[in-house]
Amino acid sequence: MTERVLARIADTSIDVAEVEDFVAGREHGAVVTFRGVVRDHDGGETVTALDYQGHPDAEEFLRRVCTAVAAESGLPVAAVHRVGALTIGDVALAASVAAPHRAEAFAACQALVDRIKVEVPIWKKQHYDGRASDWVGL
Amino acid sequence: MADVLVRYFAAAADAAGREEETVSLPEGATTGDLKRLLVERYGDEMARVFRSGSLLVDGRATRDEHVPLGARADVLPPFAGG
């Protein structure tokens, strides 16, 4: 079976509706979407902005993860990850899975996001209020 | 000796003060050999990158120190997407 997969690294705003529409279908009663959103705090400090940087092959890694989750679940999978300069409230990641019923869609979307965080080479520089910026995760 | 193109990303580029360079290593050198050379050259900041970072060799990110090097290796700090 050919997996139904959308995987993209974007340097402009993510169109979340497009990500959801990609997975939706007449047979699917559940569409679960995760939005990773830039928040204004981390570890007790005020965050003012973020820069995301992707490896040149990040999209290929993202596609591998999406394809694996689609193959394991048998469900359509879509994920778009933003790179570049983001501000508070911007969507950094939109990840959607559709399924006939909600339990499979929730489970597959959770697995998808967990794997994206671990397997896709993307880095995040956090800018703070009142001190120097740093790379997250070191 | 064999030349390896090393590319640095994010915190690794900050630690090395550059985005890429060519390093010479003995024939048959491994990921562990490259890691030791880079930590010796760039000190604590690079050691910090490798604490939970990886090397990308032949399209695979690895923390294994025994992978034979090819023509290129990318230094990948810990991922922080999502």
Side-chain angles (χ1 to χ4, degrees):
Chain A
M1 167 189 162
T2 309
E3 287 81 22
R4 184 161 164 70
V5 162
L6 168 72
R8 191 190 305 145
I9 303 296
D11 57 9
T12 54
S13 293
I14 296 174
D15 180 352
V16 181
E18 182 210 354
V19 179
E20 293 186 328
D21 288 348
F22 181 87
V23 297
R26 293 174 59 85
E27 70 278 37
H28 296 313
V31 175
V32 170
T33 300
F34 172 81
R35 299 187 195 197
V37 182
V38 179
R39 63 165 181 256
D40 69 357
H41 65 97
D42 190 39
E45 295 187 90
T46 300
V47 173
T48 55
L50 289 182
D51 292 319
Y52 278 98
Q53 184 189 334
H55 185 276
D57 301 330
E59 190 165 282
E60 184 52 38
F61 281 81
L62 182 62
R63 181 166 295 108
R64 263 189 241 171
V65 169
C66 290
T67 302
V69 172
E72 284 159 23
S73 64
L75 300 172
V77 166
V80 179
H81 202 301
R82 179 93 182 267
V83 292
L86 279 74
T87 55
I88 308 305
D90 282 347
V91 176
L93 168 65
S96 293
V97 177
H101 304 285
R102 69 181 182 281
E104 307 94 284
F106 275 121
C109 191
Q110 166 115 45
L112 175 64
V113 174
D114 287 349
R115 289 189 61 167
I116 288 170
K117 284 176 172 278
V118 173
E119 297 179 38
V120 181
I122 290 175
W123 302 283
K124 178 162 74 175
K125 190 175 219 175
Q126 211 152 242
H127 302 289
Y128 302 93
D129 189 16
R131 77 165 173 95
S133 308
D134 62 16
W135 291 102
V136 173
L138 277 190
Chain B
M1 301 292 277
D3 283 346
V4 179
L5 174 65
V6 182
R7 300 195 301 180
Y8 302 98
F9 293 90
D14 287 354
R18 67 200 67 212
E19 295 191 338
E20 62 175 58
E21 67 184 321
T22 301
V23 303
S24 285
L25 284 158
E27 294 289 343
T30 64
T31 42
D33 297 322
L34 176 60
K35 186 174 141 181
R36 282 183 286 278
L37 175 92
L38 297 181
V39 169
E40 189 178 315
R41 191 175 286 182
Y42 298 114
D44 288 348
E45 252 192 282
M46 191 61 80
R48 213 167 143 231
V49 167
F50 278 114
R51 221 163 33 211
S52 39
S54 55
L55 282 167
L56 182 69
V57 178
D58 286 334
R60 274 199 58 220
T62 181
R63 290 179 51 74
D64 185 339
E65 302 222 332
H66 305 286
V67 177
L69 292 171
R72 196 179 82 198
D74 292 351
V75 182
L76 310 180
F79 305 158

